[in-house]
Amino acid sequence: MQVVVVEEQNFNINEPPTEIIFDKHSDHVPSVGDIIKVGHNLNGFKTYNVERRVFRQLPTRDDNPEAFQAVIVLVSEI
């Protein structure tokens, strides 16, 4: 499933996400209350708390048996 992480304050349900923190394919979808660590460099990393999840079904030409192909994880910075 495609997992897109976006800050909750920048998300609009009627528009595709624009300010994406990261986007990757994963079998694990973070739950509400989980903490996500992004980046690792000499300056450290940023941590985010999962506030909500929005599951999306993407239009496909064939009948895909998966109920959802993407999830938008809405987070707030800690």
Side-chain angles (χ1 to χ4, degrees):
M1 181 178 302
Q2 195 68 24
V3 177
V4 180
V5 176
V6 178
E7 282 200 54
E8 186 175 26
Q9 64 189 12
N10 299 330
F11 179 71
N12 184 349
I13 193 74
N14 297 323
E15 298 176 10
T18 54
E19 298 180 31
I20 296 172
I21 296 171
F22 73 85
D23 180 4
K24 72 175 198 171
H25 187 78
S26 176
D27 291 333
H28 173 73
V29 177
S31 297
V32 174
D34 284 354
I35 295 177
I36 297 175
K37 180 178 89 169
V38 177
H40 184 68
N41 56 29
L42 295 176
N43 297 328
F45 52 85
K46 289 188 176 185
T47 55
Y48 298 93
N49 184 33
V50 177
E51 300 293 335
R52 295 187 292 161
R53 303 183 299 178
V54 178
F55 289 87
R56 290 217 166 150
Q57 184 173 9
L58 304 175
T60 58
R61 291 184 180 185
D62 58 344
D63 292 329
N64 194 337
E66 293 182 18
F68 300 101
Q69 292 88 19
V71 63
I72 301 171
V73 178
L74 303 178
V75 298
S76 61
E77 190 170 353
I78 296 178

